[in-house]
Amino acid sequence: MNTIRLLPFTIATALALSPLHAEEADDKKATQLEAVSVTGSNIKTTDLEGPSPVQAITAEQIRSSGKTTLPDLLRSISANTGNSVNEQLTGSFSAGTAGISLRGLGQKNTLVLVDGKRVANYATAYELQDTFVDLNALPLAAVERIEVLKDGASAVYGSDAIAGVVNIILKQNYQGAEVGANVGGSTEGTGQRSNNFHLLLGQGDLKKDGYNVFFALDGTRSSQLNQDDVSWLRDNDFRDKPGGRLNWTPTNYYNNDPTQGFASAVGPVRKVPYGAITPGKSGDTWAYNPAQYTSLIPGVERYHAVLKATVKLTDQIDAYGEAIYSRSHAAFVFSGPLAIGSGLRAWDNANQKLVNIDTTLPAGNPANPYGVPTPVNTNLWDVGQRNKRDRTIFTRFLGGVKGRTGAWDWDVSAEHSESSLKEYVTNFGNRYAFQSLLANGGYNFAANNHSQQAIDALRLSTIRPAVSRLTAVNATASTQLFDLPAGTVGFAAGYEFRNESINSRTSQAVLSGSELRPAIDVIRGSRDVHAGYAEFNVPILATLEAGIAGRLDHYSDFGNAFAPKFSLRYQPLDWLLLRGSYSRGFRAPSLPEITHSTAVSYSTVVDPYDPVTPGQRRGYTDVFAANPKLRPERSENYNGGLVISPSADTSFGADYYHIVQRGIIGPDDDATLVQRKDPRVQRDAQGRISIITNQYRNQQSLTTDGVDLSFHQALHTANAGDFALDGNWTRLLKYSQPRVAGDAPVNGAGTNIFGSLPKWRGSTGLTWSYRDFASTLTWYYVGGYQQNPDNRLTPAYPERVKAWSTFDLSIAYTGLPKTTLTLALQNLQNRRPPWDPSNTYYDLTQADPRGRYVYLGADYRF
């Protein structure tokens, strides 16, 4: 994806070419750069580069990238180092969502704004504790530009901006009409297809007519992609890969011994060597291939609508309003039929704990070939695969008045935003029906055919609701205070009030104890936030400016947090800029972390002490509790860099960042607790892990640093068209933190110890415009990384995951009146993700299983 560095120049050029300035252009009047607000400051400026690095992505660059969704676009930038997810993550409470994680610090540390203001976080939490803005809820067609601030910004915006800010700016003063559509699909024969459309309508020129109304509608529909749709993942047999094995699941056996199988096949199983699944084991076992029950990408139907209106009340005052509505359905296979065996549990709501459900076959049960009570492990095959469908509705209503009074520019606004979720699940297990059928023998677990009455009794369908709300009032004002010998002192100040709340509930089936193997994410809380902030821009010399900013937030649950920022901007030559900043930031404890919340989830961990499958991944239950005594996470950010731009066609930028984050909130690392035989690791009668309990607390610190590199070179020719080469690259130098509070820090840069964090990530795009054609070839590179030593339990296990390098190509033709035809190919070489045995095959935070993907589209402008 092409990006440019001269952010205010981009904005000012767009303004100069817009209808607002047509008369001035026609009259050949000199157009001066208009002072604009840039993400990271409330003081307007005409500087081509500020004291903090900001990457701008324009609507034209979005179009030429070939990306069709906001997450695909943003997640491809180099600063999105790692630890962010898209809708490939289907096994979580936030399935079907997508986020961005600048500097690898997690989605919770990257603040996402729309038109410079906050919106509601997703209805529930990612990984039980992280609140974030779901990028899938936000429109792409209505975007005018996106600004990515790659510096801490708590001094201006408050919490969540430790790693930076993504500001999505919607179209301003749009006039005319445009309709477009595209169809796409994988060339790999997976059946994965997508259809997209958009409609833009704008009426009125704010300057000439005194008003502007803008409406945008876009939609997408994409088919579900399951693991067995992908040829190279279908059989789940990776024994030809280093450290690979047969990723099948043993089932249908007695006495907790996979080699003591049922007499005949029950369900979609086969007899396979036990050692193929668990190296070192002998004998055969019944097993099934979970690929048929694994959704890699959910089936999605999603719509976004935007309505904006601006009216001039006087020559100096405008009133504005904005409404955003999005609706999304994501459907996927959650897992195979419910597993029956040791570790089966239900929720005891009265005592707020899990209770074990006995699965022992009574003597005389039709599935029991022994004359004594016998443990059994199997699945409820006839009940069917477990399915989920998430319906998410996002809204944002904003109204305000802005203008200029005397020497002051000001803006006052109020907004309300919500994200609501209803999660529909089918074919989960009914505890009381199971216990009854187990006792009376009404369901023969060792047979294939059962009565429909028994199957219907075991089937359980539930609905899990959740909603996140944000109500806010904002007021800002800025002016030029007074003159100094070197220039004028700029000043801005503001006030913000917010009420944040989450009400994430569980189903009635869970509360009544009916649901077997319940996953619980109960969050109930709200808080008020009051904040005041101020900012100065002081010219020290004609070539040197200093910025000073500070913000004080008061939270009703934990108290106060103050965040200052100091910056310098030095431009000794027209073509050379030096800049640097120091700031302190904070992240307020999320409502799941600090308020009334209980979470129960299921995970896997490598257990070297497992008596049955030592050194293999073992499933267990995670139980988390909130902590009302939490304090905010604190950070110190250091940035320094330079921009060299000898001409409008040539520039190079390099920025170094260093972030120290203290008091990070989280549970202890489960793998380390297992390694150390921590008492919080509970084991069953066999000695196998069953439950790990944890509580959120302020514990370890984290230090990360790296370098951002950007470059731009344009070439204009008389006969061959125009060329432009643009690149943005990030080199991660350090990502160091203890794995457990009190331990020595471990550097995870270039490893997957703290999630996959490649040392290099970047893109370089070559654009060629010739007559009626414009094409962009973009190289995307994700570096390789070392495997977590805890994963390398056998000599065959690879020490390193290879890099992933792909190319995208976009070609546009504009030779037809008012029409643009587009061909886009993503992953042009049809490159598979690199092999990573610590996952099923690849790391979904860094790669995509679809292979080459082709889009054909057409846009028509009225």
Side-chain angles (χ1 to χ4, degrees):
M1 178 181 57
N2 297 332
T3 52
I4 58 176
R5 303 87 27 243
L6 304 181
L7 173 60
F9 178 78
T10 303
I11 303 168
T13 301
L15 290 170
L17 297 177
S18 73
L20 275 171
H21 293 76
E23 289 184 277
E24 289 86 343
D26 291 341
D27 294 337
K28 299 181 181 181
K29 293 181 180 179
T31 300
Q32 295 181 343
L33 290 181
E34 181 179 338
V36 294
S37 294
V38 178
T39 301
S41 175
N42 289 306
I43 300 176
K44 293 184 176 181
T45 182
T46 59
D47 288 335
L48 300 185
E49 288 279 358
S52 295
V54 177
Q55 178 179 347
I57 308 168
T58 67
E60 183 55 39
Q61 291 165 343
I62 293 171
R63 190 187 299 268
S64 65
S65 74
K67 305 296 186 183
T68 60
T69 68
L70 191 61
D72 285 349
L73 177 78
L74 286 174
R75 287 172 49 76
S76 65
I77 68 174
S78 65
N80 183 46
T81 313
N83 290 326
S84 69
V85 297
N86 60 13
E87 52 201 20
Q88 291 186 66
L89 185 67
T90 56
S92 77
F93 288 105
S94 51
T97 63
I100 183 170
S101 169
L102 299 178
R103 309 309 188 198
L105 294 178
Q107 299 168 161
K108 60 188 175 183
N109 281 307
T110 298
L111 180 62
V112 176
L113 307 174
V114 177
D115 285 333
K117 296 178 174 63
R118 291 177 181 256
V119 295
N121 287 320
Y122 183 63
T124 190
Y126 165 67
E127 295 289 22
L128 307 178
Q129 67 176 108
D130 295 354
T131 53
F132 69 102
V133 172
D134 177 19
L135 297 178
N136 279 328
L138 303 177
L140 182 63
V143 171
E144 182 167 284
R145 69 183 184 276
I146 299 172
E147 297 174 1
V148 182
L149 173 65
K150 303 177 185 179
D151 190 7
S154 290
V156 177
Y157 300 111
S159 180
D160 309 329
I162 286 176
V165 178
V166 175
N167 189 8
I168 299 162
I169 300 169
L170 305 183
K171 293 185 183 298
Q172 314 287 319
N173 204 39
Y174 180 88
Q175 297 140 47
E178 177 181 310
V179 63
N182 65 64
V183 295
S186 170
T187 64
E188 287 302 280
T190 63
Q192 223 271 332
R193 297 288 182 267
S194 63
N195 302 293
N196 304 275
F197 77 89
H198 72 267
L199 170 67
L200 304 178
L201 300 170
Q203 178 67 40
D205 184 300
L206 187 60
K207 183 177 181 181
K208 295 179 180 179
D209 304 320
Y211 76 96
N212 177 261
V213 178
F214 170 64
F215 174 75
L217 175 68
D218 68 66
T220 184
R221 179 181 291 174
S222 60
S223 56
Q224 183 174 308
L225 181 68
N226 291 340
Q227 186 177 337
D228 61 353
D229 294 327
V230 182
S231 60
W232 44 277
L233 293 173
R234 185 173 297 139
D235 62 7
N236 241 339
D237 188 351
F238 305 120
R239 284 174 286 181
D240 60 336
K241 303 286 185 183
R245 61 185 180 90
L246 182 65
N247 283 351
W248 287 33
T249 304
T251 186
N252 297 354
Y253 56 88
Y254 299 107
N255 295 312
N256 298 310
D257 182 355
T259 62
Q260 294 186 32
F262 289 178
S264 58
V266 178
V269 300
R270 282 171 44 191
K271 272 283 181 75
V272 299
Y274 190 18
I277 299 174
T278 304
K281 295 294 182 179
S282 59
D284 293 332
T285 182
W286 292 112
Y288 72 93
N289 181 358
Q292 61 193 308
Y293 303 123
T294 302
S295 287
L296 301 178
I297 300 175
V300 170
E301 185 171 343
R302 185 177 295 125
Y303 303 96
H304 306 102
V306 176
L307 178 63
K308 295 184 64 175
T310 306
V311 177
K312 272 196 168 298
L313 301 180
T314 70
D315 289 342
Q316 298 293 323
I317 299 176
D318 298 342
Y320 60 91
E322 176 183 292
I324 301 176
Y325 176 88
S326 72
R327 186 183 185 95
S328 174
H329 290 267
F332 53 96
V333 180
F334 177 67
S335 69
L338 181 68
I340 301 300
S342 62
L344 189 65
R345 300 177 185 87
W347 182 248
D348 178 358
N349 196 52
N351 295 297
Q352 292 288 291
K353 67 176 184 179
L354 291 167
V355 293
N356 292 317
I357 305 301
D358 186 13
T359 59
T360 303
L361 293 174
N365 186 283
N368 188 351
Y370 308 99
V372 295
T374 303
V376 66
N377 287 76
T378 185
N379 296 75
L380 299 179
W381 299 111
D382 286 348
V383 173
Q385 67 187 26
R386 291 183 287 169
N387 305 301
K388 285 191 176 183
R389 181 172 62 88
D390 287 356
R391 188 213 69 185
T392 305
I393 295 176
F394 171 84
T395 57
R396 192 263 191 99
F397 300 99
L398 170 71
V401 181
K402 63 181 178 179
R404 184 174 181 83
T405 302
W408 290 85
D409 293 306
W410 51 268
D411 187 344
V412 179
S413 65
E415 70 166 307
H416 180 77
S417 182
E418 290 191 11
S419 172
S420 64
L421 165 72
K422 280 193 176 180
E423 181 186 76
Y424 301 86
V425 302
T426 59
N427 296 343
F428 279 50
N430 187 312
R431 165 197 181 179
Y432 300 112
F434 169 77
Q435 290 176 318
S436 175
L437 292 168
L438 179 68
N440 63 28
Y443 188 96
N444 187 346
F445 297 99
N448 279 307
N449 298 314
H450 303 95
S451 71
Q452 192 61 46
Q453 182 180 5
I455 295 171
D456 291 342
L458 286 168
R459 281 179 175 155
L460 187 67
S461 298
T462 68
I463 300 175
R464 180 176 68 90
V467 63
S468 168
R469 295 185 174 94
L470 171 76
T471 301
V473 175
N474 285 274
T476 60
S478 63
T479 189
Q480 302 295 314
L481 280 181
F482 51 84
D483 292 333
L484 292 176
T488 305
V489 175
F491 172 74
Y495 166 79
E496 180 182 15
F497 165 79
R498 296 198 312 273
N499 175 265
E500 306 168 342
S501 67
I502 293 183
N503 186 7
S504 176
R505 293 174 284 166
T506 191
S507 68
Q508 188 57 42
V510 170
L511 296 177
S512 66
S514 299
E515 185 176 318
L516 291 169
R517 279 183 60 86
I520 301 172
D521 189 21
V522 175
I523 310 165
R524 189 179 72 257
S526 67
R527 63 186 173 198
D528 290 339
V529 184
H530 295 268
Y533 48 92
E535 186 179 352
F536 293 88
N537 186 61
V538 182
I540 301 173
L541 302 171
T543 56
L544 178 64
E545 295 177 357
I548 304 171
R551 176 173 170 131
L552 178 63
D553 287 73
H554 176 77
Y555 282 73
S556 59
D557 47 9
F558 71 80
N560 298 331
F562 177 67
K565 184 170 185 176
F566 307 93
S567 63
L568 289 174
R569 181 188 183 279
Y570 179 51
Q571 190 167 2
L573 302 168
D574 288 343
W575 53 269
L576 175 63
L577 168 69
L578 304 176
R579 60 190 175 195
S581 66
Y582 165 79
S583 64
R584 295 176 61 186
F586 74 97
R587 185 186 75 84
S590 68
L591 289 173
E593 293 167 338
I594 199 172
T595 191
H596 308 288
S597 70
T598 301
V600 175
S601 66
Y602 301 90
S603 188
T604 62
V605 66
V606 174
D607 182 11
Y609 312 116
D610 189 283
V612 180
T613 55
Q616 297 297 314
R617 288 201 166 270
R618 164 70 177 167
Y620 65 95
T621 304
D622 252 328
V623 180
F624 297 93
N627 184 351
K629 297 181 180 179
L630 291 173
R631 303 298 300 166
E633 300 175 356
R634 304 283 184 171
S635 73
E636 290 184 86
N637 295 53
Y638 303 83
N639 278 69
L642 60 84
V643 178
I644 301 172
S645 185
S647 72
D649 291 334
T650 304
S651 69
F652 170 80
D655 288 277
Y656 170 78
Y657 69 89
H658 179 89
I659 303 172
V660 180
Q661 196 172 3
R662 297 183 177 88
I664 294 175
I665 298 168
D668 282 323
D669 180 70
D670 283 352
T672 304
L673 297 180
V674 171
Q675 291 277 348
R676 296 180 178 180
K677 300 182 180 181
D678 192 279
R680 288 172 285 180
V681 179
Q682 302 175 28
R683 297 180 179 270
D684 60 19
Q686 286 183 270
R688 311 192 79 185
I689 295 175
S690 59
I691 297 175
I692 298 179
T693 59
N694 245 315
Q695 185 181 37
Y696 305 119
R697 55 178 179 148
N698 295 99
Q699 38 186 358
Q700 67 264 29
S701 62
L702 181 153
T703 300
T704 183
D705 61 4
V707 177
D708 291 325
L709 303 173
S710 64
F711 55 86
H712 168 74
Q713 178 62 58
L715 175 65
H716 308 284
T717 69
N719 299 316
D722 296 330
F723 298 84
L725 184 70
D726 292 272
N728 282 276
W729 291 77
T730 297
R731 175 66 158 91
L732 179 64
L733 301 173
K734 179 191 288 187
Y735 193 98
S736 181
Q737 69 179 112
R739 301 189 64 179
V740 174
D743 283 9
V746 175
N747 187 9
T751 77
N752 61 359
I753 294 175
F754 305 115
S756 59
L757 295 166
K759 288 187 176 181
W760 278 106
R761 184 183 179 102
S763 65
T764 297
L766 175 63
T767 298
W768 177 37
S769 300
Y770 180 69
R771 295 181 179 175
D772 296 330
F773 287 91
S775 63
T776 301
L777 179 67
T778 306
W779 172 38
Y780 293 101
Y781 179 82
V782 178
Y785 50 89
Q786 296 290 329
Q787 281 282 2
N788 184 343
D790 291 346
N791 294 335
R792 299 202 305 266
L793 297 175
T794 64
Y797 210 91
E799 293 186 2
R800 183 173 178 81
V801 176
K802 294 181 180 179
W804 199 42
S805 181
T806 61
F807 287 86
D808 286 2
L809 175 65
S810 175
I811 303 173
Y813 174 68
T814 57
L816 299 176
K818 302 181 181 180
T819 302
T820 301
L821 303 178
T822 304
L823 168 67
L825 295 92
Q826 297 179 2
N827 192 357
L828 188 63
Q829 329 93 290
N830 197 25
R831 188 71 59 84
R832 292 180 185 176
W835 163 245
D836 182 354
S838 65
N839 297 278
T840 299
Y841 186 105
Y842 64 97
D843 189 319
L844 61 84
T845 70
Q846 303 288 358
D848 186 315
R850 295 177 300 172
R852 183 189 299 114
Y853 211 86
V854 181
Y855 287 99
L856 290 172
D859 297 334
Y860 183 81
R861 296 172 185 84
F862 295 89

